[in-house]
Amino acid sequence: MGVGGNFWDLLKPYARAEGFDFLRNKRVAVDLSYWIVQQETALKGQIRNPHIRLTFFRTINLFSKFGAYPVFVTDGTASPLKSQARIARFFRASGIDLSSLPVAEEGISIERNKAFQKCEKECVELLELLGVPVLKAKGEAEALCAQLNREGLVDACITSDSDAFLFGANCVIKNMQPNSNEPFECYHMSDIESGLGLRRNQLIAISLLVGNDHNLTGVPGIGIETAVRFVKSFSDDEILYRLREIGGGDLQDFQHDVNLDSSLIPSSDESPRKIKVPHCSICGHPGSKKAHLKFACQYCSATANEGCIKKPLGFKCNCSPCDLDNKEKEQKRNENWKLKVCRRIASEQNFRNNEITEMYLNKQQQYDGDYHLSWENPKIDMIVDYLAYYQHWEPSYTRQRMFPMLSTIFLRDVASNSKDQLLGGQYEFDSIQRVKTRFGHQLYVINWKKPTCEMSNGICIPSEDSDTEQELGIADESTDLLDEPDSPQIHVKEGCSFLSTEEDMVLVQNAFPEKVSQFLRDKDLKESRSRRKRPMKSENSESPRGVQLSIINFYRSSKVPCHEKPEESETGCPKISADTSRERDIEPIRNYSKSVRRKLLFD
């Protein structure tokens, strides 16, 4: 949830749509509970163990498709305030009166339900088999993600909890859509500061007013627009101190400061009593109606003999006395509005701003121990057994879906001067097939060669697995929400098995520069040969550069012209009729297609 009051809608105008290479060679912290809740809510009861399937496929996509280094974070022990909020959320969802809400005792935490804990445990087991680092936070998972981002250990956070900004995150990815040109909906704290004019302490103040994960209600009667307007009236350094004073019921100092916070307008005590300037009822400008009937005032554009012009509907005078009076009224309205909001905050008995503020600003470590972020090679055989037990997948299907991730890890190892030249001990880099553009992003299609087709305990993949997928019902479960990666193309040639995968061009260049150079040379040679085979255009057919051709030159007739033999006269000479000249003009037009003739006729 995070901050209440439709907080994400407030930040939506400042979101960035990032492309495929946004996370390339970057570390990203993932809130695991966000994935579990999202998948269980969307596909619960439709497929087997959706949390395991989503975690498996999305992790492979982060590695192979986006080239990222994911770090997963799980929730720790919740605070007493969070436990109280969980009880209130359960009562609210069950339709139970919140007046009978029990109070969580000091030092006692309410854990999540057992079903969620079971899902989280299964996902952690799978991630550890995939060789991905998993960290357990002391409290909130988004708090540890934000701390890793703030300290520069990761470049972004993947979570839907908006209070990650309150914990100090700099870059938050809310949504992922792998099958699009710009798959990431990304929010940068710098964009929020420049666009909304709100910094971290001010965002914390907004969460205290509209509600958050630790206090669901906030201050009743204060919405997101009121909270933003009130918070902007204070600086980032003083807003939390001011809320602490107001929450304690101390409004005297605040009212005194509000009276002093005004423009350079003299107060009623310092200036003499204001004399109301009369205004004309005809034009609305300063002066008397009697004088304006004879001569036009200086504000009207009429001539001196015609008098003033009648004022339009809704007219407001902009003379200096009226402008000064309007400023004083506007200032008074703002002061009264601030005092009204302050009284509403002070009347809230459960305004626990101190505890929640200290929690968001807590600079202590959210993780016990040092951060040893290391990525290991996946344990293929154990993953196959794990998914065969939980998902009832065939080993060939699991190995096939894992192959893009394994090829990405292999290319990384080769680029870092690894001596291993076989992927999984079986497949070798054969050639670059072609360049493929996918969602506006160019990739190399790589052919991986296996000398023999004998089955082994490695990552051998059969050439035909469509029957297996249909038997398992896998094809029907492939939806966009599951983020299922593309499987490698398989073909057999001359007794060898070949797999085709899509790889990042820079990664392939770093791993196999000689292969890339050979591919580029062959590509240039092929293009030069194709250019030679193209027929040379005649000089008459070429049009000047930048000149639009006529429709006759663009559209050639598809019909074969039929020339009729002219009639001969009695003397043996061709007979010339009176319409010969007209037929000569129409004859070329008959050679064009029907659509061109129609366009020439009506144009």
Side-chain angles (χ1 to χ4, degrees), residues 11 27 38 42 51 59 63 65 148 196 230 241 261 270 299 334 350 410 420 501 600:
L11 306 182
R27 298 181 176 184
Q38 181 188 32
H51 57 284
T59 305
F63 269 98
K65 187 172 291 186
L148 294 173
L196 285 175
F230 180 78
Y241 174 74
D261 185 16
E270 298 176 356
Y299 299 99
N334 291 335
N350 297 325
F410 174 73
D420 190 5
T501 59
L600 291 174

Side-chain angles (χ1 to χ4, degrees), residues 239-466:
I239 178 61
L240 295 179
Y241 174 74
R242 291 291 189 179
L243 283 181
R244 189 178 296 110
E245 288 184 340
I246 298 170
D250 187 6
L251 298 179
Q252 296 181 357
D253 295 340
F254 175 77
Q255 187 172 2
H256 175 69
D257 294 341
V258 168
N259 293 332
L260 294 178
D261 185 16
S262 62
S263 58
L264 298 177
I265 301 176
S267 62
S268 59
D269 298 335
E270 298 176 356
S271 61
R273 186 173 183 177
K274 294 188 300 182
I275 300 176
K276 188 173 182 180
V277 179
H279 284 64
C280 175
S281 60
I282 298 178
C283 64
H285 296 133
S288 63
K289 177 181 179 181
K290 183 177 181 180
H292 287 191
L293 287 174
K294 297 180 179 179
F295 305 99
C297 66
Q298 59 180 346
Y299 299 99
C300 291
S301 59
T303 59
N305 298 329
E306 294 180 356
C308 289
I309 302 175
K310 186 178 181 180
K311 61 182 178 181
L313 186 64
F315 171 80
K316 291 184 179 180
C317 181
N318 294 326
C319 64
S320 57
C322 293
D323 187 41
L324 183 63
D325 186 57
N326 291 334
K327 288 183 178 179
E328 291 180 354
K329 291 180 180 179
E330 182 66 22
Q331 178 187 348
K332 191 66 177 177
R333 283 195 296 268
N334 291 335
E335 291 176 358
N336 293 335
W337 178 81
K338 283 185 179 180
L339 289 175
K340 182 179 178 181
V341 175
C342 291
R343 292 191 183 100
R344 190 180 294 274
I345 296 174
S347 62
E348 179 62 25
Q349 298 179 356
N350 297 325
F351 189 64
R352 301 178 177 178
N353 58 320
N354 295 335
E355 303 173 59
I356 300 176
T357 300
E358 292 177 358
M359 188 178 305
Y360 283 133
L361 297 177
N362 188 9
K363 298 182 180 179
Q364 297 180 0
Q365 295 290 329
Q366 296 290 334
Y367 176 71
D368 293 329
D370 299 331
Y371 300 111
H372 295 293
L373 303 181
S374 60
W375 290 261
E376 301 176 357
N377 291 328
K379 302 175 182 178
I380 302 174
D381 294 337
M382 298 182 67
I383 294 174
V384 169
D385 296 338
Y386 180 89
L387 295 177
Y389 177 77
Y390 283 102
Q391 300 298 111
H392 296 182
W393 289 352
E394 291 292 335
S396 60
Y397 177 80
T398 303
R399 294 190 179 99
Q400 182 181 5
R401 297 301 175 179
M402 285 187 61
F403 196 85
M405 176 182 177
L406 300 176
S407 63
T408 301
I409 296 175
F410 174 73
L411 292 176
R412 288 176 180 175
D413 294 340
V414 174
S416 59
N417 299 325
S418 176
K419 296 181 180 180
D420 190 5
Q421 296 297 323
L422 291 178
L423 197 164
Q426 298 182 32
Y427 287 89
E428 63 180 0
F429 189 99
D430 183 67
S431 62
I432 301 176
Q433 182 178 347
R434 59 188 175 92
V435 177
K436 180 179 180 179
T437 302
R438 183 179 179 85
F439 300 109
H441 181 68
Q442 288 190 336
L443 303 165
Y444 279 141
V445 179
I446 306 300
N447 289 331
W448 302 90
K449 177 182 178 181
K450 181 183 178 184
T452 60
C453 296
E454 298 177 359
M455 296 296 292
S456 62
N457 295 329
I459 57 171
C460 181
I461 302 173
S463 58
E464 296 181 358
D465 58 344
S466 58

Side-chain angles (χ1 to χ4, degrees), residues 497-559:
S497 176
F498 290 89
L499 291 176
S500 299
T501 59
E502 301 170 4
E503 306 293 345
D504 179 60
M505 300 179 70
V506 178
L507 183 60
V508 177
Q509 172 68 35
N510 296 335
F512 297 95
E514 298 179 357
K515 296 283 188 178
V516 175
S517 301
Q518 181 64 32
F519 169 75
L520 295 177
R521 287 194 299 267
D522 295 343
K523 183 180 178 182
D524 294 339
L525 181 60
K526 184 177 180 181
E527 290 178 355
S528 62
R529 290 177 179 176
S530 62
R531 284 194 298 266
R532 294 175 185 176
K533 294 180 180 180
R534 293 176 184 173
M536 298 297 294
K537 295 182 180 180
S538 61
E539 296 181 359
N540 297 333
S541 62
E542 293 182 356
S543 61
R545 186 175 183 85
V547 178
Q548 177 67 42
L549 296 177
S550 65
I551 190 171
I552 300 176
N553 294 330
F554 269 118
Y555 297 95
R556 297 298 181 185
S557 175
S558 60
K559 297 182 179 180

